[in-house]
Amino acid sequence: MGKSLSNYLSSFAVHVQTRQILRRVATGKLPHEDGIASPVMDDEESPLLGHGHRLANGSEPNFWKHLLFNRTSSPGTKSSNPLVRVPAHVWNVFKITLLSTWINVLLVFVPFGLIAGTFEWNPTLVFTLNFFAIIPLAAILSFATEEIAARLGETLGGLVNATLGNAVELIVSIVALRAGQVEIVQASMLGSILSNLLLVLGMCFFLGGLANMRDANGNAIEQSFSTGTAQTTCSLMTLASATMILPAALYGVLDNSSDGHKEEVALLLSRCSSVVLLTLYVMYLIFSLRSHKRLFESEAGPNAEEDEHDPLLGPWSAGVVLLLTTLVISFCADHMVNSIDAVAESGAMNKTFIGLILIPIVGNAAEHVTACVVAVKNKMDLAMGVAIGSSIQISLLVTPSLVLLGWAIGVPMTLRFQTFETVAFAVSVLVVTYTVQDGKSNYLEGAMLLGLYMIIALAFWASG
């Protein structure tokens, strides 16, 4: 009797588990990728030691693999015992964050960078260690931002992503601005824009064009993206270049005035222009995320849309990760900025090259790789969103905000860049506009953008 009852309960449990799996398949919520499943409970609800249940084939689950390498959950996170649940949850958040991207292998540079800056090691070594330390921290910051945005809905989530998308550049620039390194701030802002417009977009066009050069019949084809995105973003970038040209032109016109008067005029124009740019950025967000969202949708069909997935972290967990990462980035950025003067004096490289070429790589390395990967997968709208969208954020949001912040703390940050910087930016916007205005791309256009970026980088290297 007891054996029959046991067999019946086992059959019933398997039946319930089968129905749960079928329901998940129907709703798109598949079981965890490592195959760990219990006939009665999910992985996260299993006991911490992993005993007391078996897989469908009767074997014991690999507890250590689940604990150390599962990218979605950890055992014990839903235990009724808080002494088990709290440590398990903390470990789960740490593990998911650590395994979010392969770039996090560079996190080994974080403690060395902080130690080198605290004990004032060789400036070149301090700069190098903190340079590599910020790259994975930027990736974690981006991951936490996406986790928060995924729980806020499409419109509000897009707003969060747009606002925090360039948080690393903003943190580094604020640290440099407080240190009075206006030249570094201006160069890093311009460098971030050029890096996205020429380097990232060029790599996306080049790699995507090579990977998707021909169709199934062997005919040559081009990749396509939303023309609404291309036209609107190019118009905004042209406006941004105008806000750089006008202060420089006005400064040159006032030849008969004293240097102090010309600086005051440039400051006034820059601060007023910054208010206008911030207003236009808010209107752009409303236009792209709300009123005319359809214009920015992919024209390549549903296959070009980003693979959606449920957020892995809760809102509070993602918020804590965001705050802690921001704090660590601020310390690393402080050490890196403080070493720039000594590095420039050593003759290894000049300040403009550091701000224009190196610092933009720090904040955008993870996003650059992501943009290239999705371009190879023929998802050009996503690649365009990373490249040109990030440039718009920097030119219409980050740079004007730094001008107003400098006004608040008494640092004369302006939109008046050097003549060569202004010309390089205007030419880059012009070339990109002609390249993307038809809504199509190929590897030759990517090579053109990369070539222009190399020429500009060599010019700033030689200027030192």
Side-chain angles (χ1 to χ4, degrees), residues 213-240:
M213 189 184 306
R214 300 187 184 278
D215 59 13
N217 298 323
N219 300 319
I221 59 174
E222 291 183 307
Q223 292 181 290
S224 61
F225 44 85
S226 172
T227 55
T229 301
Q231 294 172 357
T232 304
T233 53
C234 287
S235 299
L236 290 172
M237 290 308 304
T238 304
L239 172 66

Side-chain angles (χ1 to χ4, degrees), residues 110 114 130 133-134 137 327-337:
V110 174
L114 295 175
N130 285 282
I134 293 178
L137 292 173
L327 182 63
V328 178
I329 289 177
S330 65
F331 284 110
C332 292
D334 187 52
H335 293 317
M336 186 177 69
V337 170

Side-chain angles (χ1 to χ4, degrees), residues 115-153:
I115 293 173
T118 303
F119 292 97
E120 299 181 356
W121 292 1
N122 180 273
T124 303
L125 184 60
V126 172
F127 179 86
T128 303
L129 290 175
N130 285 282
F131 175 86
F132 285 106
I134 293 178
I135 292 177
L137 292 173
I140 293 177
L141 194 67
S142 176
F143 169 73
T145 301
E146 292 175 357
E147 290 294 301
I148 295 176
R151 294 183 177 274
L152 297 179

Side-chain angles (χ1 to χ4, degrees), residues 300-453:
N303 292 331
E305 294 180 0
E306 185 177 14
D307 298 332
E308 297 182 356
H309 60 82
D310 294 332
L312 301 176
L313 300 181
W316 288 106
S317 299
V320 171
V321 172
L322 187 70
L323 291 177
L324 292 178
T325 306
T326 302
L327 182 63
V328 178
I329 289 177
S330 65
F331 284 110
C332 292
D334 187 52
H335 293 317
M336 186 177 69
V337 170
N338 290 336
S339 64
I340 288 178
D341 284 333
V343 173
E345 292 174 359
S346 67
M349 60 191 72
N350 57 70
K351 284 186 178 182
T352 304
F353 184 82
I354 293 174
L356 192 77
I357 304 299
L358 297 184
I359 292 181
I361 295 177
V362 169
N364 292 314
E367 292 183 352
H368 292 181
V369 174
T370 301
C372 294
V373 170
V374 298
V376 170
K377 294 180 180 179
N378 202 24
K379 301 177 181 180
M380 290 305 298
D381 285 285
L382 296 179
M384 289 285 293
V386 173
I388 297 186
S390 182
S391 299
I392 290 177
Q393 293 170 17
I394 295 171
S395 58
L396 299 186
L397 174 64
V398 179
T399 304
S401 299
L402 290 173
V403 172
L404 298 181
L405 177 62
W407 187 10
I409 64 177
V411 178
M413 169 73 182
T414 70
L415 296 176
R416 184 185 70 82
F417 292 74
Q418 298 298 322
T419 302
F420 182 67
E421 296 175 348
T422 304
V423 172
F425 180 46
V427 171
S428 300
V429 172
L430 181 64
V431 172
V432 171
T433 300
Y434 278 110
T435 302
V436 305
Q437 64 180 354
D438 61 347
K440 297 182 181 299
S441 64
N442 53 64
Y443 72 91
L444 178 59
E445 293 177 339
M448 292 164 50
L449 297 180
L450 290 174
L452 179 58
Y453 183 78

Side-chain angles (χ1 to χ4, degrees), residues 65-389:
K65 180 182 177 181
H66 186 198
L67 178 66
L68 299 177
F69 301 109
N70 189 289
R71 295 173 178 266
T72 59
S73 66
S74 297
T77 53
K78 292 190 176 181
S79 172
S80 58
N81 186 352
L83 296 179
V84 174
R85 184 177 66 253
V86 174
H89 180 72
V90 173
W91 165 251
N92 188 54
V93 172
F94 174 79
K95 180 186 65 173
I96 290 176
T97 303
L98 190 64
L99 299 178
S100 60
T101 174
W102 61 269
I103 294 181
N104 287 343
V105 297
L106 297 178
L107 285 171
V108 296
F109 288 97
V110 174
F112 292 105
L114 295 175
I115 293 173
T118 303
F119 292 97
E120 299 181 356
W121 292 1
N122 180 273
T124 303
L125 184 60
V126 172
F127 179 86
T128 303
L129 290 175
N130 285 282
F131 175 86
F132 285 106
I134 293 178
I135 292 177
L137 292 173
I140 293 177
L141 194 67
S142 176
F143 169 73
T145 301
E146 292 175 357
E147 290 294 301
I148 295 176
R151 294 183 177 274
L152 297 179
E154 186 176 359
T155 301
L156 190 57
L159 177 61
V160 171
N161 264 325
T163 304
L164 300 179
N166 292 281
V168 175
E169 291 93 332
L170 185 61
I171 294 171
V172 175
S173 298
I174 289 175
V175 172
L177 191 64
R178 292 181 58 189
Q181 298 276 14
V182 176
E183 180 183 353
I184 293 295
V185 176
Q186 290 181 325
S188 64
M189 291 296 99
L190 178 61
S192 296
I193 298 173
L194 294 180
S195 174
N196 284 286
L197 286 181
L198 301 180
L199 179 61
V200 180
L201 193 61
M203 288 294 294
C204 291
F205 285 179
F206 184 75
L207 297 177
L210 290 178
N212 303 274
M213 189 184 306
R214 300 187 184 278
D215 59 13
N217 298 323
N219 300 319
I221 59 174
E222 291 183 307
Q223 292 181 290
S224 61
F225 44 85
S226 172
T227 55
T229 301
Q231 294 172 357
T232 304
T233 53
C234 287
S235 299
L236 290 172
M237 290 308 304
T238 304
L239 172 66
S241 64
T243 59
M244 289 180 55
I245 295 174
L246 292 177
L250 180 61
Y251 190 88
V253 168
L254 301 175
D255 288 333
N256 298 327
S257 302
S258 63
D259 291 340
H261 176 66
K262 291 195 292 186
E263 289 293 339
E264 291 179 0
V265 173
L267 273 175
L268 177 61
L269 178 60
S270 298
R271 290 164 180 171
C272 294
S273 300
S274 297
V275 175
V276 175
L277 291 177
L278 289 174
T279 304
L280 289 174
Y281 181 73
V282 173
M283 295 181 66
Y284 164 70
L285 291 180
I286 297 174
F287 184 84
S288 60
L289 299 177
R290 192 74 176 178
S291 64
H292 290 68
K293 181 174 59 176
R294 184 179 60 84
L295 297 178
F296 294 83
E297 294 178 352
S298 172
E299 295 182 350
N303 292 331
E305 294 180 0
E306 185 177 14
D307 298 332
E308 297 182 356
H309 60 82
D310 294 332
L312 301 176
L313 300 181
W316 288 106
S317 299
V320 171
V321 172
L322 187 70
L323 291 177
L324 292 178
T325 306
T326 302
L327 182 63
V328 178
I329 289 177
S330 65
F331 284 110
C332 292
D334 187 52
H335 293 317
M336 186 177 69
V337 170
N338 290 336
S339 64
I340 288 178
D341 284 333
V343 173
E345 292 174 359
S346 67
M349 60 191 72
N350 57 70
K351 284 186 178 182
T352 304
F353 184 82
I354 293 174
L356 192 77
I357 304 299
L358 297 184
I359 292 181
I361 295 177
V362 169
N364 292 314
E367 292 183 352
H368 292 181
V369 174
T370 301
C372 294
V373 170
V374 298
V376 170
K377 294 180 180 179
N378 202 24
K379 301 177 181 180
M380 290 305 298
D381 285 285
L382 296 179
M384 289 285 293
V386 173
I388 297 186

